[in-house]
Amino acid sequence: MGETAASTTTGATRGRPRSERVRLAILAAAADLLIEGGMAAATMEGIAARAGVSKATIYKWWPSRGQLALDSFFNRTKDSIAVDRSLPLAAALITQLDALCTLFRDTPSGALMRELAAAAQADPDVREALEERWLRPRRAVGRRLLADAVARGELPVRLDLEVTLDQLYAPIYHRLLFGHQPLGRDLPARLVAQALPGLAAPEPGPTTPGSSPESSIAATERG
Amino acid sequence: MGETAASTTTGATRGRPRSERVRLAILAAAADLLIEGGMAAATMEGIAARAGVSKATIYKWWPSRGQLALDSFFNRTKDSIAVDRSLPLAAALITQLDALCTLFRDTPSGALMRELAAAAQADPDVREALEERWLRPRRAVGRRLLADAVARGELPVRLDLEVTLDQLYAPIYHRLLFGHQPLGRDLPARLVAQALPGLAAPEPGPTTPGSSPESSIAATERG
Amino acid sequence: MGETAASTTTGATRGRPRSERVRLAILAAAADLLIEGGMAAATMEGIAARAGVSKATIYKWWPSRGQLALDSFFNRTKDSIAVDRSLPLAAALITQLDALCTLFRDTPSGALMRELAAAAQADPDVREALEERWLRPRRAVGRRLLADAVARGELPVRLDLEVTLDQLYAPIYHRLLFGHQPLGRDLPARLVAQALPGLAAPEPGPTTPGSSPESSIAATERG
Amino acid sequence: MGETAASTTTGATRGRPRSERVRLAILAAAADLLIEGGMAAATMEGIAARAGVSKATIYKWWPSRGQLALDSFFNRTKDSIAVDRSLPLAAALITQLDALCTLFRDTPSGALMRELAAAAQADPDVREALEERWLRPRRAVGRRLLADAVARGELPVRLDLEVTLDQLYAPIYHRLLFGHQPLGRDLPARLVAQALPGLAAPEPGPTTPGSSPESSIAATERG
DNA sequence: TCTTAAACGAGACGGTACGTCTAGTCTTCTA
DNA sequence: TAGAAGACTAGACGTACCGTCTCGTTTAAGA
C-alpha cells in the first residue's frame, strides 16, 4: 500500500523522490470514479486518465484495484472513532453507531464501503485490510465500552461480548449491503435498546428523536 | 431469469423446444466455476465452454452474469426454510439460524453467497432478486415466529421486530463476508440468547454444545 | 498468413464466415501507414483504428506485424514477373530489372520493401517469406533466361549462374536500402551490359536512354 | 555521436570530465545485447542496466538507439580497409572482399550489420552515417584499384565504375540480409571473376580453394 | 584547501503500444 | 425455431520501454 511503502522508506532517498501530488491525485480520482459508478467505472485506465497520471505509476504503488480502492476510501473518510468515555454507556454506543450510520447514509462513503465489501470477497488482501484497518478498531471501541460497563456492574458478567458487538454493528452493514431496510436515523438507538435492554434508553445523542419512528411491533415488512 | 422465462412460455410452442438439458448444463457449469474460483473464474466464455454450449444461448436466457450466478445458486441450494412451528420459540429460531450457518460453513453455498453479495453491489437486479428470493422469505419465517410469541405473551409487546430480525440474521452474513469472527457451531444459540434474553436458553437444537465455547465476557479479540 | 489460412479452409464452414471486407481493410490500412511513416507509424493499434477494426481481429489472422506488413505489401504490389521469352536475352533481362527499379523508384513499394527488409532482420519468418515469395520467383525467371541462353550457346558454359543473378539483382536492393547511389533509369541496362559483356547492348527496352547518364569511368563518388 | 562529441570538446573543460570507462561500458553492453538478441533485445533500459549506468547518461551522449548501435558496431569492428597496392588487381580486390565476407560470416559483426541495415531504414541519420563511415571508404578503396587498372590499360576505358563496384559489394550485403545464398568462402573470387572476366583468375588470396565449389552452371537453386 | 560545475546513478514520471482477455453482438449452418 | 460455431467490435487488462525529469553524490579543474 502506498502509505505503508512511503513510511518504510526511512532515510537515504536515492533517485527522484515520490511525488505526493501524484499520490493524492490518484487517490482522489479513484474515489471520485468509485462514487460515480462503482467498481465497474473505476478502471485503472480511467483513474489514470482522470488523475493525469500514467498507468504504470499506479501499478508501481498499488498492487490491485481493490487495494487502491481501499486506500482511497481511507483517504476520503476522516471518520473519527474516538468516543467520549465520560458519557453514559448507551449514549456513547449510540453516538458511535450513529456516526457510522450517518457516514454510510449521507456521504459517498456508503457507496465506497459497498464497493469495498464487494472487492473483499474476491481479494483476501482487501478483506484483511478492511477488517484490520476499519472493522477491528471500531469494534475495539465498542468492546472497551462494554467491558468497562461490565466492570462497573452496569452489565451482567455473562454478557456475550463478541455476539453483542455483532448485533450492534452487523445490522448496519447488512442494511447497507442488501437494502432490505433503510439506514434510518433512529436505528442506532433501537439497536442499543434491543441489544442491551437493561440500560435505560436515554437521550439518543445526535439523533433527532421522533423522526420516522418505524419502531416497535407495528413495523412490518417493507415493499 | 431462466426459470421464469421458461414458465411464461405457456403453450403453443412453435419451433424447436428449449432444451432442458442445456439449461441445466449451464446452471451446473456456472455453479461449478463459481465455487472453484469465484466470479473471476466464472466467465461467460468459461461457462459456455464447460457446459458445451454456445455463448449466444446463455445470453438468450440470462441478461447478465449476476443473474446467472443467482439462478445457479438457487439451483444448487435446496435449503428448506420450513420450520416446525410446534417447537418452542428459541428452538425454532436456533434451528433456522443453524441451518443457515451450516449451509454457509460446510457447503459451497457459503462461497456462492459471498460472490452473490458482491455481485449485488454492482447490479441492482441481483440485489433485488437476492433480497426477494432469499432474504425476505427467511426473514418472514422468523418474523412469523416472533409475532406468534408476542401474541402468546412470551415476548413483550414493545419488541422491535425488524431490528431483532437484523440482530439474528445480520451477524451471520457479517461474519461470512468479513471473516472477523468464525461461523461457530454455537453461534445460533448465542445469537438467540443474546437477542431474546427473556427466553430460557434451551437445547440448542442440532448444534453440538460445548464445542469451542468462545462465549462470555472472557472472549477477546481474534488474531 | 491470412490468405493461406483462408485457402486451407476448404468446405464445411461452420460458424460465421470470415469477412473479406475486414481482411482488405486491414491490409489497406497497414499499407497506408507503412508508406506514410514506416514501421514506426504502423502500430497494431493504429492499423486497427484506421481500418475500423478490433485489434483482436488482426491478431487472430496475423501472428506479427512483420507478417502483416508482408501481406499488405503483396496485396499492394501486383507486380507481374512474367517475361516475354521471345525477346532477346539482354532485352528480357533489362525489362525485368527495369520493372523492379521502377517499382521501387516510382511507387510506394520501394518504401514498403525497405521496411520489409528491415523487419526481415528481426523476424526469421518474415525473412523466409520474403525470400520465398518475392526473391526466389524473380531469380527463377532470370535463371531460366540465362540457362536458356547458355543452352543456345549465347553465353559461355562456364557462366557462374548464382553469382551473375546476384550481380544483376543485388545492386538494386543495395541502392534502395543504403542510398549510396540513385536507382537511375539507366541502371538496368548498365547492370546487364556490365554483367554480361559478351551480349550486344541493344535497345534498353522500356528505359528512356540518355537520361541522367551517370555512366562510364567519369562517374565519381556522390556527395 | 559519442566520439565526435568528445573530440569537439576542445579545451576549457570545467566540471567533472567525461568518464571513458562509462563510454566503453555502454558501447560494450550495446554490442553484446545487439549480438545476443538484435535490436529487440538492445533496449535502452537493458543497455543501461548491463553497463551499470544511468539511462540519462546514455541519452546525454547518443541521440538515438540507432546511433548508439552504430557507434558500438564501429567500436567492435576493427576492420582494416588498407590494401596492398602492389598486389595484382584481382588479388587485391579478392582480398578486400574476402575480409568483408569473413567479417560477416565468422564474427558477430555480421549480425550487427544486419541490425544496422535495419535501423538505417527507419533513421536517416543512421543510414547516412552507415554510408559515409562504412560503405564509402570501402568503395573508395575498390574505386581506386579499378581506376589504377584502367590507367594501366588492364581494364577497358569504358568500364562502368559505379555499377562494377555495386556488382562486387552488393551481393555480399544481399546474401547477408536475405540469406537466399550462403556467404561462401569462394564468393569473393567468383564475384571478381564474373565482374571482371578479362582478368586472369589468380590465386584466390586467403580463401581455401576447392572447398565447397558451388560454382559454375551446375549450381542451382538452394532449398 | 575550497569552490564550482559538469558527470553520473537512481529512480519517479507521463506516455505509447504491446499482446491478451472477456463481454456482448452478429452471421451462418445444422438439427 | 433452438442451438453450435465462431467472426467480430469494444475496451480494460497488466507489462515494457520510451524519453524526460529531479534528486543526491562524485570528480576534477580552477580560484
Side-chain angles (χ1 to χ4, degrees):
Chain A
M1 211 114 351
E3 312 187 48
T4 315
S7 59
T8 52
T9 310
T10 42
T13 46
R14 301 245 293 177
R16 179 174 173 176
R18 181 175 178 187
S19 161
E20 186 67 4
R21 188 188 59 72
V22 160
R23 200 190 119 251
L24 293 175
I26 293 171
L27 290 174
D32 289 352
L33 289 172
L34 275 170
I35 291 163
E36 284 172 23
M39 273 293 189
T43 65
M44 287 301 224
E45 301 218 320
I47 294 168
R50 152 104 61 151
V53 144
S54 157
K55 264 200 298 177
T57 302
I58 302 182
Y59 282 108
K60 178 153 213 178
W61 299 108
W62 288 275
S64 73
R65 203 154 42 130
Q67 302 282 331
L68 174 53
L70 204 63
D71 255 24
S72 77
F73 173 71
F74 283 113
N75 190 255
R76 271 284 167 102
T77 307
K78 309 297 186 193
D79 175 47
S80 170
I81 57 177
V83 157
D84 184 354
R85 296 182 61 186
S86 68
L87 282 173
L89 173 60
L93 285 174
I94 289 172
T95 301
Q96 202 206 4
L97 294 178
D98 187 68
L100 196 63
C101 271
T102 302
L103 185 74
F104 287 166
R105 193 200 322 114
D106 299 341
T107 76
S109 290
L112 284 176
M113 174 53 75
R114 290 182 60 187
E115 300 294 340
L116 283 179
Q121 307 313 310
D123 184 340
D125 291 339
V126 171
R127 193 209 60 75
E128 193 170 346
L130 202 52
E131 186 200 332
E132 284 186 24
R133 291 175 59 190
W134 183 262
L135 293 185
R136 222 206 289 284
R138 278 155 189 79
R139 283 176 79 93
V141 169
R143 186 181 297 108
R144 183 66 185 266
L145 288 173
L146 293 177
D148 285 355
V150 170
R152 286 197 307 268
E154 291 179 34
L155 287 174
V157 179
R158 294 191 49 96
L159 182 76
D160 193 338
L161 245 181
E162 293 304 321
V163 164
T164 302
L165 288 170
D166 276 336
Q167 286 178 330
L168 290 173
Y169 295 110
I172 295 174
Y173 293 91
H174 203 46
R175 292 185 173 200
L176 174 69
L177 294 178
F178 295 102
H180 58 287
Q181 291 285 336
L183 280 174
R185 287 192 187 281
D186 55 353
L187 181 62
R190 291 166 63 194
L191 283 169
V192 170
Q194 196 63 37
L196 304 168
L199 300 176
E203 331 281 294
T207 39
T208 312
S211 67
S212 64
E214 164 225 330
S215 49
S216 98
I217 199 155
T220 48
E221 189 183 346
R222 237 178 19 121
Chain B
M1 210 105 2
E3 311 186 51
T4 315
S7 59
T8 52
T9 311
T10 42
T13 43
R14 298 240 303 170
R16 178 173 170 179
R18 179 175 179 190
S19 160
E20 185 66 5
R21 189 189 57 73
V22 161
R23 199 189 120 252
L24 292 175
I26 293 171
L27 290 173
D32 288 351
L33 289 173
L34 275 170
I35 291 163
E36 284 172 22
M39 274 295 189
T43 66
M44 286 302 225
E45 303 216 320
I47 295 168
R50 154 108 58 154
V53 145
S54 156
K55 267 200 297 178
T57 303
I58 301 182
Y59 281 107
K60 180 156 209 176
W61 298 107
W62 288 275
S64 73
R65 199 155 46 131
Q67 303 282 327
L68 173 53
L70 205 62
D71 256 26
S72 76
F73 174 70
F74 284 114
N75 190 256
R76 272 284 167 102
T77 308
K78 309 296 187 195
D79 175 47
S80 169
I81 56 177
V83 157
D84 184 354
R85 295 182 61 187
S86 68
L87 250 51
L89 173 59
L93 284 174
I94 289 172
T95 302
Q96 200 205 6
L97 295 177
D98 187 68
L100 196 63
C101 272
T102 303
L103 185 74
F104 287 165
R105 194 201 320 115
D106 300 340
T107 76
S109 291
L112 284 176
M113 173 54 74
R114 290 183 62 187
E115 301 293 340
L116 283 178
Q121 308 312 310
D123 184 339
D125 291 340
V126 170
R127 194 210 58 76
E128 193 169 347
L130 201 52
E131 186 202 333
E132 285 186 25
R133 293 174 59 190
W134 182 264
L135 293 184
R136 220 204 295 283
R138 277 154 191 79
R139 282 176 79 93
V141 169
R143 187 183 296 107
R144 182 67 186 267
L145 288 172
L146 293 177
D148 285 355
V150 170
R152 286 197 306 268
E154 293 179 33
L155 287 175
V157 181
R158 293 191 49 97
L159 182 76
D160 193 338
L161 246 182
E162 293 303 323
V163 163
T164 301
L165 288 170
D166 276 336
Q167 287 178 328
L168 289 173
Y169 295 111
I172 295 173
Y173 293 91
H174 203 44
R175 292 185 173 200
L176 174 69
L177 295 179
F178 294 102
H180 57 288
Q181 291 284 336
L183 280 175
R185 289 193 184 281
D186 56 353
L187 181 61
R190 291 166 65 193
L191 283 169
V192 171
Q194 197 63 37
L196 303 169
L199 299 176
E203 19 256 284
T207 41
T208 312
S211 67
S212 63
E214 162 224 333
S215 49
S216 97
I217 197 156
T220 48
E221 188 182 349
R222 228 173 33 112
Chain C
M1 213 111 355
E3 312 186 50
T4 315
S7 60
T8 52
T9 311
T10 43
T13 46
R14 300 248 296 176
R16 178 175 174 177
R18 180 173 178 190
S19 161
E20 186 67 4
R21 189 189 59 72
V22 159
R23 199 188 121 252
L24 292 175
I26 292 171
L27 290 174
D32 289 352
L33 289 172
L34 275 170
I35 291 163
E36 284 173 23
M39 274 295 189
T43 66
M44 288 302 225
E45 302 217 320
I47 294 167
R50 154 104 61 150
V53 143
S54 158
K55 265 199 299 176
T57 303
I58 301 183
Y59 281 107
K60 176 154 213 177
W61 299 107
W62 289 275
S64 73
R65 206 156 37 133
Q67 303 282 330
L68 173 53
L70 205 63
D71 255 25
S72 76
F73 174 70
F74 284 112
N75 191 256
R76 272 284 168 101
T77 308
K78 308 298 186 194
D79 175 47
S80 171
I81 56 175
V83 157
D84 185 353
R85 296 181 61 187
S86 67
L87 250 51
L89 174 60
L93 283 173
I94 290 173
T95 302
Q96 201 205 5
L97 294 177
D98 186 67
L100 196 63
C101 272
T102 303
L103 185 75
F104 287 165
R105 193 201 320 115
D106 299 340
T107 77
S109 290
L112 284 176
M113 173 54 74
R114 289 183 61 186
E115 301 293 340
L116 283 179
Q121 307 313 310
D123 184 340
D125 291 340
V126 170
R127 193 208 60 73
E128 193 170 347
L130 202 52
E131 186 201 333
E132 284 186 25
R133 293 174 61 189
W134 183 263
L135 293 185
R136 223 206 289 284
R138 278 154 189 80
R139 283 176 79 94
V141 169
R143 186 181 297 109
R144 183 65 184 266
L145 289 173
L146 294 177
D148 284 356
V150 170
R152 285 197 308 269
E154 292 179 33
L155 287 175
V157 179
R158 293 190 50 97
L159 182 77
D160 194 336
L161 246 181
E162 293 303 322
V163 163
T164 302
L165 288 170
D166 275 336
Q167 286 178 329
L168 289 173
Y169 294 110
I172 296 174
Y173 293 92
H174 203 45
R175 291 186 175 200
L176 174 70
L177 294 178
F178 294 103
H180 57 289
Q181 292 284 335
L183 280 175
R185 287 191 187 282
D186 55 353
L187 180 60
R190 291 167 63 195
L191 283 168
V192 170
Q194 197 61 37
L196 304 169
L199 299 177
E203 18 258 284
T207 41
T208 311
S211 66
S212 65
E214 164 225 328
S215 48
S216 95
I217 198 156
T220 50
E221 188 183 349
R222 234 178 23 118
Chain D
M1 213 111 352
E3 312 187 50
T4 314
S7 59
T8 52
T9 309
T10 42
T13 45
R14 298 251 301 175
R16 178 176 174 178
R18 182 175 178 190
S19 160
E20 185 66 4
R21 188 189 59 73
V22 161
R23 198 190 121 250
L24 292 175
I26 293 171
L27 290 174
D32 288 352
L33 289 172
L34 276 170
I35 291 164
E36 284 173 23
M39 274 294 191
T43 65
M44 287 302 224
E45 303 216 319
I47 295 169
R50 153 106 59 151
V53 144
S54 158
K55 267 200 297 177
T57 303
I58 301 182
Y59 281 106
K60 180 154 212 177
W61 300 108
W62 289 275
S64 74
R65 201 157 40 133
Q67 303 282 330
L68 173 54
L70 205 62
D71 256 25
S72 75
F73 173 70
F74 283 114
N75 190 255
R76 272 286 166 100
T77 307
K78 309 297 187 195
D79 174 46
S80 171
I81 56 177
V83 157
D84 184 354
R85 296 181 62 187
S86 67
L87 283 173
L89 174 60
L93 284 174
I94 289 172
T95 301
Q96 199 205 7
L97 295 178
D98 187 70
L100 196 63
C101 270
T102 302
L103 185 74
F104 287 165
R105 194 200 321 114
D106 299 339
T107 77
S109 291
L112 285 176
M113 173 54 73
R114 291 182 60 185
E115 300 295 339
L116 283 178
Q121 308 313 309
D123 184 340
D125 291 339
V126 171
R127 194 209 59 74
E128 193 171 346
L130 203 51
E131 187 202 332
E132 285 186 25
R133 292 174 59 190
W134 182 262
L135 293 185
R136 220 205 291 285
R138 277 154 190 79
R139 282 176 79 94
V141 169
R143 188 182 296 108
R144 182 66 185 267
L145 288 174
L146 292 178
D148 285 356
V150 170
R152 287 196 306 268
E154 292 179 33
L155 288 174
V157 179
R158 293 191 48 95
L159 182 77
D160 193 337
L161 245 181
E162 293 303 322
V163 164
T164 301
L165 288 169
D166 275 336
Q167 287 179 328
L168 289 172
Y169 294 111
I172 295 173
Y173 293 91
H174 203 44
R175 292 185 174 201
L176 174 69
L177 294 178
F178 295 102
H180 57 288
Q181 291 284 336
L183 280 176
R185 288 193 187 281
D186 55 353
L187 181 61
R190 292 166 63 194
L191 283 169
V192 170
Q194 196 63 37
L196 303 169
L199 300 176
E203 325 285 295
T207 39
T208 311
S211 69
S212 63
E214 164 223 332
S215 48
S216 94
I217 197 158
T220 49
E221 187 182 347
R222 234 177 23 117

